[in-house]
Amino acid sequence: MIFILSRSGLSPRVLKACRQLKANRQYAVAVTGQPGDELNCYCAHVLHALFKDDFREMGDLAFFTSAKFLFDCLINLYCTANYDEVLEKEKRYNDLYIEEPF
């Protein structure tokens, strides 16, 4: 699963990447402040994060806060649905990267 984060959802680079992902049959989820029809065609799901252009700085803050919330929800759903797999991955990670105390 690939996540795409785009405030406008209209960037030519983002749309090109989404087209390529779809052509390669990759599962893509977009998080955007302004979901458009073209982005909907290329992604399995498009989540709308809050963005208000009138107050640029506040809009950026609201967008990234709501996008982070959506990512947190998706990660929690994945971990809940694949609990045993997540525990096994955590164990392997700890075995590889976490040093034991002296």
Side-chain angles (χ1 to χ4, degrees), residues 11-80:
S11 164
R13 290 185 342 189
V14 169
L15 293 172
K16 180 180 177 184
C18 291
R19 276 193 297 276
Q20 290 173 338
L21 289 169
K22 184 170 184 172
N24 292 325
R25 297 184 176 178
Q26 298 293 318
Y27 189 87
V29 176
V31 178
T32 180
Q34 299 173 348
D37 292 337
E38 193 170 358
L39 193 60
N40 289 333
C41 294
Y42 301 126
C43 297
H45 299 285
V46 177
L47 304 175
H48 186 210
L50 179 64
F51 181 72
K52 186 74 172 158
D53 202 31
D54 296 343
F55 302 98
R56 187 107 178 109
E57 290 180 20
M58 186 59 90
D60 287 345
L61 175 65
F63 174 75
F64 289 112
T65 301
S66 59
K68 183 188 179 313
F69 174 75
L70 291 170
F71 280 125
D72 288 346
C73 289
L74 291 169
I75 289 169
N76 283 323
L77 286 170
Y78 174 81
C79 291
T80 301

